[in-house]
């Protein structure tokens, strides 16, 4: 009834849940739990939690923790498996597979009691440092090879990096391209979190060793789209690949390793048919590599992948994906304020309006776009302006009827455009930042959603109206927007107001507020001299403290036209002796006709100098100001002398 929560993570695991039972802070008094359970606990400041299990010789014993992946706090967990004599059998802090989360795993050397220790890596912690600790005999591979395949294909993969040795499985892949989660299974038990693979519509070629030299390169005759699956299996390993390309074709080459949670830090080098290096890359996509490439000639090209520091091992898996460059389109809602999810969903009050900003990211094409939203609840309508060519954001306006049901919905957001004669479709893909921390407020964990959340809420305490501007905003000019508030009886609090989105080259005054008890304000707009000349839908949003929280509503649309100026002026240099009069000439360039006289004022004159306002008509070529000075007027040039022309446009 009052709005929407933030997005939160809810984990579903394969094991029954056990709650942490304090006290369990001492190695000598651990909490006893069964194997293959998930313990829900919390690490408070300087807290250390211990759990004891009985294990048999030869079993795999693994402790994987979900801490930062729960998305609630900057929690960096540490996990250790200790034997009955308190010797550490395995410890884990950060992992490539699990980010800041940890996994410790051993093959049990003898029957007996083993203790799992959980703490924050630097002995910090808080009431928000919650975790899910999976203790059991389940498989826990660190990598998959090959790390992908074709849509709908059943691919035989090897799960690598498990302490009990590699696993092999036949895995059916989905029909849709993109990332896919694989859960390793053995003896009826599943890994509690996935390994990541790719579904790729093209030829998928697995590396064949040896391929450490150019002459041994793993080759494919298939044209792009083409993917190579490889493994930097030992320190110093270099993997070479050979493929065919056509002159002038725009190609994209991606090495995916960290994006698949592999420990590999890949470098990529590309060589031409003559063997000479054309280009190389490191860390274009985080630690991963990327190249855009236009072959200078038909022929066979080679590329080589290695680790940046010469590392390697059985879990250093990766994929090289080579694609023809194609137009793509993605939609999202931009971050309104760091470290919060405010204004990334729509809470529309009954009988009122709510606007959000929709962003479109075009790659490899331009032009106009048409967007639409599906799945609106009863009593709600939406208006989505077209994205004109060059625009990448539009304000989307929701309106709820006074009797709209209090309800929620998840909306599908889509858009379409054209790249030449080719249709381009885009969908909603919203990144939600969940955990930030030092240094520099870095994002440590995030998730993504493919729907826009909307709720119809109770009637708001205010309603905003934006007056339609009576004139266009000229380049290098200014304009004032008038905003009015209609207050519900009993509410007289302050309302913070801002323009949701300004057109390119236009800026607006910020940190504005309709004071308590008042009903209007003006927003100043200023256009740069090169602001785009077009008409744009604009909307203002407002928030007020109501019932202990922020309540948001928006105005309706107004049309803002940015136009070329009617007149351009240039002030000529002038000097004057103190106490004497002077003439300052402003040359005029008449660009557009206007009716009646216009006024011209001088601003920035030094103290103890003055000049009267002048009028001119559309035929005037210049205006001459008579500047008066005093005997004690300060000498020297003024810091900023300029003229301003208020025009009344009917």
């Amino acid at each position: 009834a009052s709005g929407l929560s933030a997005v939160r993570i809810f984990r579903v695991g394969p094991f029954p849940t056990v709650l942490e039972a304090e006290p369990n802070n001492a190695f000598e008094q651990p909490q006893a739990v069964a194997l293959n359970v998930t313990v829900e606990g919390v690490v408070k400041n300087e807290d250390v939690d211990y759990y004891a299990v009985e294990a048999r010789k030869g079993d795999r014993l693994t402790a994987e923790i979900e801490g930062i992946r729960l998305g609630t706090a900057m929690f960096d967990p540490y996990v250790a498996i200790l034997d009955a004599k308190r010797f550490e059998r395995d410890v884990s802090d950060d992992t490539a597979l699990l980010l800041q989360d940890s996994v410790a795993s051993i093959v049990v050397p003898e029957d007996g009691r083993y203790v799992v220790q959980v703490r924050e890596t630097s002995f910090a912690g808080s009431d928000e440092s919650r975790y899910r600790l999976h203790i059991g005999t389940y498989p826990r591979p660190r990598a998959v090879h090959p790390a992908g395949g074709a849509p709908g294909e059943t691919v035989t993969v090897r799960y690598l990096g498990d302490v009990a040795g590699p696993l092999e499985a036949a895995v059916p892949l989905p029909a849709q391209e993109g990332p896919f989660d694989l859960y390793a299974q053995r003896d009826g038990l599943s890994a509690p979190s996935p390994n990541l693979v790719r579904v790729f519509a093209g030829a998928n070629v697995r590396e064949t060793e040896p391929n450490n030299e150019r002459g041994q390169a793993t080759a494919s005759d298939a044209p792009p789209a083409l993917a190579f699956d490889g493994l930097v299996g030992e320190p110093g390993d270099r993997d070479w690949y050979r493929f065919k390309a056509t002159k002038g074709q725009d190609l994209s080459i991606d090495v995916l390793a960290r994006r698949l949670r592999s420990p590999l830090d890949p470098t990529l080098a590309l060589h031409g048919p003559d063997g000479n290096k054309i280009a190389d890359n490191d860390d274009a996509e985080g630690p991963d590599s990327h190249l855009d490439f236009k072959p200078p000639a038909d022929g066979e090209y080679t590329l080589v992948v290695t680790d940046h520091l010469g590392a390697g091992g059985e879990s250093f898996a990766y994929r090289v994906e080579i694609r023809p460059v194609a137009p793509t389109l993605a939609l999202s809602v931009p971050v309104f304020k760091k470290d919060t999810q405010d204004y990334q969903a729509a809470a529309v009050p009954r009988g009122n309006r709510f606007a959000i900003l929709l962003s479109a990211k075009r790659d490899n094409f331009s032009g106009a776009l048409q967007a639409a939203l599906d799945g609106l609840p009863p009593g709600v309508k939406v208006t989505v302006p077209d994205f004109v060519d060059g625009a990448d954001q539009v304000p989307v306006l929701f309106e709820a009827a006074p009797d709209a049901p209090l309800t929620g919905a998840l909306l599908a957001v889509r858009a379409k455009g054209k790249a030449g004669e080719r249709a381009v479709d885009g969908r909603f893909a919203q990144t939600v930042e969940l955990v930030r921390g030092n240094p520099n407020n870095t994002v440590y964990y995030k998730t993504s959603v493919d729907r826009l959340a909307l709720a119809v809420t109770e009637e708001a305490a205010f309603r905003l109206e934006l007056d339609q501007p009576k004139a266009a905003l000229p380049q290098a000019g200014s304009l004032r927007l008038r905003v009015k508030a209609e207050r519900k009886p009993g509410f007289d609090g302050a309302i913070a107001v801002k323009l949701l989105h300004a057109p390119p080259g236009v800026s607006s005054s910020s940190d504005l507020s309709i004071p308590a008890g008042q009903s209007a304000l003006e927003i100043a707009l200023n256009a740069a001299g090169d602001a785009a000349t077009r008409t744009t839908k604009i909307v203002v949003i407002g928030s007020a403290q109501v019932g202990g929280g922020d309540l948001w509503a928006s105005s309706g649309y107004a049309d803002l036209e940015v136009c070329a100026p009617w007149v351009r002026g240039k002030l000529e240099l002038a000097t004057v002796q103190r106490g004497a009069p002077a003439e300052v000439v402003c040359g005029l360039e008449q660009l557009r006709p206007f009716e009646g006289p216009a006024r011209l004022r001088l601003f920035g004159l030094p103290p103890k100098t003055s000049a009267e306002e002048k009028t001119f008509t559309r035929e005037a070529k210049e205006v001459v100001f008579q500047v008066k000075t005093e005997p004690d007027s300060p000498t020297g040039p003024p810091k900023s002398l300029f003229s301003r022309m208020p025009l009344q446009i009917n």
Side-chain angles (χ1 to χ4, degrees), residues 146-203:
E153 176 187 18
T154 296
V155 59
T156 299
V157 302
R158 282 171 60 84
Y159 292 103
L160 303 171
D162 188 287
V163 291
L167 311 174
E168 193 168 284
V171 177
L173 298 179
Q176 185 176 357
E177 269 200 297
F180 183 61
D181 293 347
L182 288 187
Y183 289 83
Q185 298 188 27
R186 187 163 190 172
D187 300 328
L189 296 173
S190 170
S193 61
N195 295 94
L196 306 183
V197 298
R198 300 270 297 176
V199 181
F200 180 85

Side-chain angles (χ1 to χ4, degrees), residues 1 68 70 79 111 113 117 189 309 324 330 349 360 387 420 476 530 583:
I68 202 167
L70 299 181
V79 170
D111 293 356
R113 188 181 81 160
Q117 180 196 76
L189 296 173
L309 296 177
F387 291 82
D530 59 353
E583 290 186 347

Side-chain angles (χ1 to χ4, degrees), residues 1 15 30 181 244 308 321 391 402 405 436 450 489 521 608 627 632:
F15 309 125
D181 293 347
K244 294 181 178 179
H308 176 71
E321 293 183 353
R436 286 178 173 267
D450 61 2
L521 60 66
K608 298 187 178 183
V627 179
D632 57 348

